[in-house]
Amino acid sequence: MKDDLKTLARKFAYPICEEIAGYPMVQERLQIIPYAFAKQKAILPLEETELGVTVAISDPLDLDALEELRLYLQKPLSPVYCTKAVIEAAIETCYRQKEGEAKKLFSDHASSASASQEELLEGYDLLETGEQNPTVRMVNAMILDAIQQGASDIHLEPGETVFSVRYRIDGALLRRDSPPKETQSAITTRIKVMAKMDIAERRLPQDGRIKLRQGGREIDFRVSTIPTSHGERVVLRILDKGNILLGLEKIGMDDKTLRSFRKMIHAPEGIILVTGPTGSGKTTTLYSAIAEIIHREVNVITIEDPVEYKLAGISQMNVNPRIDLDFAKGLRHILRQDPDVIMIGEIRDKETAEIAIQASLTGHLVISTLHTNDAPSALTRLADMGIESYLLSSSILGVIAQRLVRCICPYCRISYTPTAEELADLGLEREQLSDGKLFKGEGCAHCFKSGYKGRHGIYELMPMYSKIKAQVVKSADAEALRKVAGSYQIATLFEQGRALLLRGLTTGSEILRVTRMGQDAAI
């Protein structure tokens, strides 16, 4: 189809443009036509000169759209052909919320009435313009602001005299411009209605979901509210499908870890555990593993709480406590569906662990997560749940622990000479450093003054080698397992992080922050 349109464009003598981001109006984000018209017609003005306006169009036969635009602008048009995908991306750039828009809206509206149910349409576009209730505009501006800054969560925190907003960016909570205290009730109500919560119930915690669009991107939100002494506290978890990087090559594993992990996920049976705290990227690792082993001859079924990202070619089940569908009950039914690979969102109790182990022993590959600080502690945790040691040694293929460390902003990265105390904390000698220097970020507009931009994964992979199996049968003590794992030269999280530090990708304080639980063992 694209080739047909390109051929038509050549017949019309339209110039062919593969990329339009360099045109002045796109660079300066000028908006001289309504967003709804630009999006519907996939047409966008690019440059204005004395001779007229250069416009990008995706359908050379849509002469009506060109005529409407000519009448609207009252100027001659010079069409150029570009694919619809490229034009839509440029439209999103041009109509993206301007920096500081949320702050302006918060200051412009000192008070506001709550939005009515009739005003809210699930899946509406955040970029749509037009007359809107002030509360709707403030909530939209806040959500857009968070998305544009790459936030994973929005925290709305009521205080005695203030209503604070914080975004979690690259794992750290950063304070942002806050709306007036008097808008607290209206904003909270608006979000609760969007998430289909009970707006009359303010005494009990509630959970909900929101589905919105930003141009061509669909973005889901998990919403949680809890009552506090100064009103309801709201947290929105942003599930931006456009930001997830699926693929084991993309998540930051070093070559040795990647080779071992790939070998595990292609095993016909057994259990692979991914451990780490909330927000450490476990779900992305699970989905990346699943995406690699999906093919027509394999039946992959997942049970999650909730399903965060939908993948083609697999069956995904949501846990639902309201109808007594938990991990254990769901797993029993999944085993009747003739699966080859089972992904469990999290092993939380003995019953789920026992069913997972039995599934692995009867010819299934099981991948799941567990909340522990490092890889050896996962086996200790399962033993504490009451799982027999011989079952652990015979069913588990390996455990991978992971963290996400913030990367130094490339725009404000500078070198500095670390102190002797800092080097001692990191277990480094000055001779190990390049020119005796380490790096940090000064803070700039690109990283919102934080000195960090983006994150990189660090991984501690512990395959179930023979000595580790023997130690598990003898005792699943975490410290004893660490010593045995050390004999196989398995790099700890701290050592992996220190390697990134020596490459100049992150800072010593960041490594100590995310690996502090295992720091003593690593040194």
Side-chain angles (χ1 to χ4, degrees):
M1 183 63 180
K2 290 180 183 178
D3 292 338
D4 293 341
L5 291 173
K6 188 176 288 188
T7 302
L8 279 173
R10 289 195 178 98
K11 288 183 178 179
F12 279 68
Y14 291 169
I16 309 295
C17 287
E18 300 295 338
E19 184 54 63
I20 57 177
Y23 278 91
M25 286 186 173
V26 180
Q27 286 185 329
E28 298 173 20
R29 292 162 56 180
L30 295 181
Q31 307 165 9
I32 63 173
I33 63 174
Y35 168 74
F37 178 78
K39 181 185 174 187
Q40 180 184 1
K41 302 294 185 180
I43 191 170
L44 185 67
L46 302 176
E47 184 177 16
E48 186 174 358
T49 66
E50 294 178 356
L51 300 177
V53 180
T54 302
V55 298
I57 187 167
S58 64
D59 185 357
L61 294 177
D62 195 352
L63 302 180
D64 290 339
L66 287 172
E67 181 61 17
E68 287 180 52
L69 184 58
R70 187 190 67 79
L71 292 172
Y72 181 83
L73 297 177
Q74 292 294 303
K75 292 183 178 180
L77 302 182
S78 300
V80 300
Y81 169 76
C82 191
T83 63
K84 188 174 182 180
V86 172
I87 292 177
E88 286 179 342
I91 290 172
E92 183 178 327
T93 298
C94 288
Y95 291 85
R96 185 182 299 159
Q97 177 174 287
K98 295 178 181 177
E99 187 175 350
E101 185 72 12
K103 180 178 181 179
K104 181 177 182 299
L105 285 167
F106 292 158
S107 61
D108 284 349
H109 302 285
S111 62
S112 174
S114 63
S116 65
Q117 178 84 26
E118 290 74 24
E119 292 176 309
L120 304 169
L121 297 173
E122 181 179 354
Y124 74 86
D125 198 321
L126 287 164
L127 294 176
E128 291 285 4
T129 57
E131 289 298 322
Q132 289 178 327
N133 180 290
T135 303
V136 175
R137 293 176 61 202
M138 278 194 287
V139 171
N140 284 3
M142 179 176 60
I143 292 174
L144 274 172
D145 197 35
I147 293 170
Q148 288 168 202
Q149 293 189 31
S152 61
D153 301 84
I154 305 172
H155 290 240
L156 303 177
E157 303 165 335
E160 185 175 358
T161 59
V162 295
F163 183 42
S164 300
V165 175
R166 292 195 291 173
Y167 300 161
R168 188 174 294 280
I169 300 175
D170 293 334
L173 272 176
L174 305 176
R175 191 171 297 278
R176 288 295 178 254
D177 300 307
S178 298
K181 173 69 175 177
E182 53 266 32
T183 65
Q184 174 181 319
S185 176
I187 289 176
T188 302
T189 300
R190 163 70 179 178
I191 293 172
K192 288 175 70 175
V193 174
M194 293 169 72
K196 296 181 174 58
M197 296 178 177
D198 183 354
I199 61 173
E201 180 55 75
R202 299 177 181 175
R203 302 165 299 171
L204 294 173
Q206 295 188 62
D207 294 304
R209 291 182 74 97
I210 302 173
K211 184 186 292 289
L212 298 175
R213 295 194 308 276
Q214 182 195 10
R217 296 160 61 191
E218 282 193 4
I219 302 174
D220 291 340
F221 300 81
R222 285 207 329 247
V223 185
S224 171
T225 67
I226 60 170
T228 70
S229 56
H230 298 297
E232 290 180 283
R233 190 184 193 281
V234 184
V235 175
L236 292 87
R237 165 64 59 88
I238 302 173
L239 305 173
D240 187 354
K241 300 171 186 176
N243 278 346
I244 186 170
L245 293 175
L246 291 185
L248 295 179
E249 302 89 351
K250 300 176 183 178
I251 61 176
M253 287 186 183
D254 63 273
D255 292 340
K256 180 181 177 182
T257 303
L258 182 58
R259 285 194 300 272
S260 297
F261 190 63
R262 272 210 169 108
K263 186 176 180 180
M264 285 184 194
I265 66 174
H266 286 97
E269 58 189 48
I271 297 180
I272 301 170
L273 295 173
V274 182
T275 77
T278 301
S280 60
K282 299 189 300 296
T283 301
T284 302
T285 300
L286 289 181
Y287 281 136
S288 296
I290 291 295
E292 180 145 328
I293 57 181
I294 290 176
H295 57 82
R296 293 183 180 180
E297 297 176 2
V298 175
N299 178 19
V300 181
I301 304 179
T302 77
I303 179 165
E304 306 168 58
D305 183 22
V307 173
E308 293 189 8
Y309 301 100
K310 295 178 175 63
L311 295 181
I314 68 174
S315 302
Q316 296 172 272
M317 180 193 296
N318 259 316
V319 167
N320 192 342
R322 294 180 182 177
I323 57 173
D324 195 30
L325 178 60
D326 56 16
F327 281 111
K329 189 171 184 178
L331 268 177
R332 291 193 191 94
H333 290 280
I334 286 175
L335 289 172
R336 298 170 191 158
Q337 293 282 314
D338 186 29
D340 297 297
V341 180
I342 302 170
M343 186 186 102
I344 306 169
E346 182 184 350
I347 293 178
R348 298 175 178 170
D349 51 53
K350 181 182 179 182
E351 188 177 11
T352 305
E354 287 178 335
I355 298 172
I357 286 173
Q358 291 303 319
S360 71
L361 294 174
T362 53
H364 305 87
L365 179 65
V366 179
I367 306 175
S368 184
T369 70
L370 202 62
H371 282 278
T372 60
N373 293 323
D374 57 11
S377 299
L379 301 176
T380 307
R381 173 77 184 278
L382 290 172
D384 290 343
M385 285 183 185
I387 305 301
E388 296 291 343
S389 58
Y390 72 91
L391 290 175
L392 295 177
S393 65
S394 58
S395 62
I396 294 179
L397 296 172
V399 184
I400 184 166
Q402 67 180 78
R403 298 289 191 278
L404 293 175
V405 296
R406 291 184 291 173
C407 296
I408 300 170
C409 175
Y411 298 98
C412 59
R413 179 174 177 266
I414 61 169
S415 62
Y416 73 99
T417 302
T419 64
E421 183 181 359
E422 184 177 352
L423 290 175
D425 288 340
L426 294 167
L428 291 173
E429 298 294 334
R430 200 170 295 277
E431 294 74 23
Q432 295 177 259
L433 309 184
S434 175
D435 297 326
K437 304 283 188 179
L438 289 177
F439 296 88
K440 64 181 179 180
E442 280 190 306
C444 63
H446 293 280
C447 60
F448 304 100
K449 305 298 181 183
S450 68
Y452 296 97
K453 190 172 182 65
R455 289 190 287 180
H456 195 291
I458 55 174
Y459 302 88
E460 174 184 308
L461 178 61
M462 185 182 77
M464 289 296 284
Y465 295 122
S466 56
K467 290 182 182 179
I468 295 176
K469 288 184 178 182
Q471 178 59 48
V472 170
V473 173
K474 181 180 177 182
S475 170
D477 176 69
E479 190 59 41
L481 286 169
R482 284 191 198 99
K483 290 180 180 178
V484 176
S487 69
Y488 286 100
Q489 296 183 326
I490 293 173
T492 65
L493 288 168
F494 183 76
E495 290 164 347
Q496 291 267 3
R498 200 163 51 181
L500 293 184
L501 174 71
L502 294 174
R503 288 167 55 191
L505 296 179
T506 189
T507 63
S509 59
E510 184 68 6
I511 297 303
L512 295 174
R513 180 181 71 85
V514 300
T515 65
R516 60 185 180 273
M517 300 302 294
Q519 182 185 344
D520 292 338
I523 295 174

